[in-house]
Amino acid sequence: MGKLLAATAMCSGTAAFAVDLEVSHWWTSGGEAAAVAKFAEALNERTEHNWVDGAIAGGGDTARPIMVSRIIGGDPMHAFQFNHGRQAEELIEAGLLLDLTDVAEAEGWFDIVNPPSLLEACTVDGRVYCAPVNIHSWQWMWLSDDAFEQAGIEVPSDWDGLVASAPALREAGIVPLAVGGQSWQQSGAFGVMAIALAGEEAWLAINRDKDVDVAGGEAYARVFEAFGNARDLAAGLNVSDWNQATNAVITGQAAAQIMGDWAQGEFAVAGQVAGEDYHCLPGLGVTGILDTGGDAFYFPVQDDPEVEAAQKELAALLLSPEVQVSFNSAKGSLPIRGDVDLGTVNDCTQKGLELLAAGQTLPSGNALLTPDTNQQVNDLMTEFWSDPSMTAAEAQERYVEIIANAD
């Protein structure tokens, strides 16, 4: 990090001063809080600066509007978490976010970030505006060994196996599938099912190419029918937050959950062991592929060279090897650096690393669809989920309209 410190000192023309850096994020569950604490510890122990935690409860859909309102209202925090993708485009276009290109060049981000699409998602007109910190993938289903043992059946190896096990699970008083009541959870589960059941080519045709014929075709008809089955499997569990749904799997109240790999942090906090207490199926056990979403930190422009130097020091620290290992090990995510050794990792993380090494990856939907389009999809999935009278065919017809108008 010495090169960066020298660079920022030259840019600011000042010596290094201690700065209290307010950092906004939506990591508030037990596992998430344990992970973000690794960032705070690193800043507080390795620099003269102080991490001022600005956690916002309620998830990204709640936190993002609050963060944006502060920034455009003239009361910006010093750093904030978004998903890397298109969520910050308007803030960048308005000149409200700090250009980190000099940090990226000094720290060699162009050589170490893997896959390169993560840094490309931070880049606008050739300039880097965010620091990607992890690879999170939605493409996982988590299974409770205890729940299936209670039902007297084997842990299934794929989505069809879960569907087939539903009667035995219901007989044992266990909800087959845990899904929280927030729209992003329902929409996220649909996205996982789309990639797993319709395949990579169809998913890209819709999300990248906005192909309405594929969106209205047979492959996605099967996805919507399966999503209807998921609605039935989830009946009987009334929880809102994603980590409450994860806890239902941890405690054996529910058999399975479709949720991103951040769920691993909750299993870890509960003291559960992958391969013993729970199992994981990338791509629902059908299509072994990871969408490479995740989180990145952006830094609002500040009219103070000392603060700007501290912001850039934090940006570099977030991608340093030791911090990447400590944070991602706690978060359940994969590191964005291709040159770090996670040492002994659990069975599920190892599956993710193998898929990443094999290049079995897709970009995140956040990188391909605008926030407005994503919100329309979220709203549709929630309406379908909460209204059993809406058929799969009706939902698919509405979905085609959204894709037809997507940009």
Side-chain angles (χ1 to χ4, degrees), residues 124-146:
V124 177
D125 295 332
R127 310 300 294 178
V128 177
Y129 288 92
C130 68
V133 296
N134 60 11
I135 300 170
H136 263 320
S137 177
W138 255 103
Q139 307 303 309
W140 295 89
M141 184 162 66
W142 310 94
L143 304 151
S144 166
D145 283 32
D146 179 59

Side-chain angles (χ1 to χ4, degrees), residues 95-302:
L96 295 173
L97 299 184
L98 184 63
D99 185 338
L100 300 175
T101 307
D102 58 339
V103 180
E105 292 174 345
E107 296 296 301
W109 290 359
F110 300 98
D111 297 321
I112 62 174
V113 173
N114 179 51
S117 60
L118 299 180
L119 195 57
E120 291 168 5
C122 289
T123 304
V124 177
D125 295 332
R127 310 300 294 178
V128 177
Y129 288 92
C130 68
V133 296
N134 60 11
I135 300 170
H136 263 320
S137 177
W138 255 103
Q139 307 303 309
W140 295 89
M141 184 162 66
W142 310 94
L143 304 151
S144 166
D145 283 32
D146 179 59
F148 290 97
E149 184 177 342
Q150 290 182 58
I153 55 179
E154 295 292 324
V155 176
S157 60
D158 58 23
W159 171 254
D160 288 340
L162 176 66
V163 174
S165 70
L169 292 166
R170 290 289 188 190
E171 182 68 23
I174 297 167
V175 175
L177 184 66
V179 180
Q182 297 163 327
S183 63
W184 68 270
Q185 297 180 60
Q186 297 143 12
S187 183
F190 173 81
V192 173
M193 299 178 78
I195 294 174
L197 304 179
E200 174 184 356
E201 184 177 338
W203 185 86
L204 283 172
I206 292 170
N207 290 268
R208 182 189 61 198
D209 305 329
K210 317 302 186 290
D211 190 323
V212 294
D213 291 332
V214 176
E218 291 185 6
Y220 262 64
R222 292 193 295 271
V223 174
F224 275 94
E225 290 169 3
F227 194 54
N229 290 336
R231 180 174 62 182
D232 297 336
L233 296 179
L237 183 69
N238 185 23
V239 297
S240 177
D241 295 336
W242 70 269
N243 52 305
Q244 293 174 319
T246 306
N247 187 63
V249 177
I250 290 171
T251 58
Q253 299 174 62
Q257 180 188 24
I258 299 173
M259 183 53 59
D261 50 17
W262 50 90
Q264 277 218 91
E266 303 304 302
F267 287 102
V269 168
Q272 295 213 331
V273 178
E276 297 179 11
D277 301 304
Y278 67 97
H279 280 73
C280 55
L281 296 176
L284 307 184
V286 179
T287 302
I289 198 165
L290 302 180
D291 63 320
T292 50
D295 303 287
F297 280 85
Y298 293 81
F299 301 82
V301 170
Q302 307 278 336

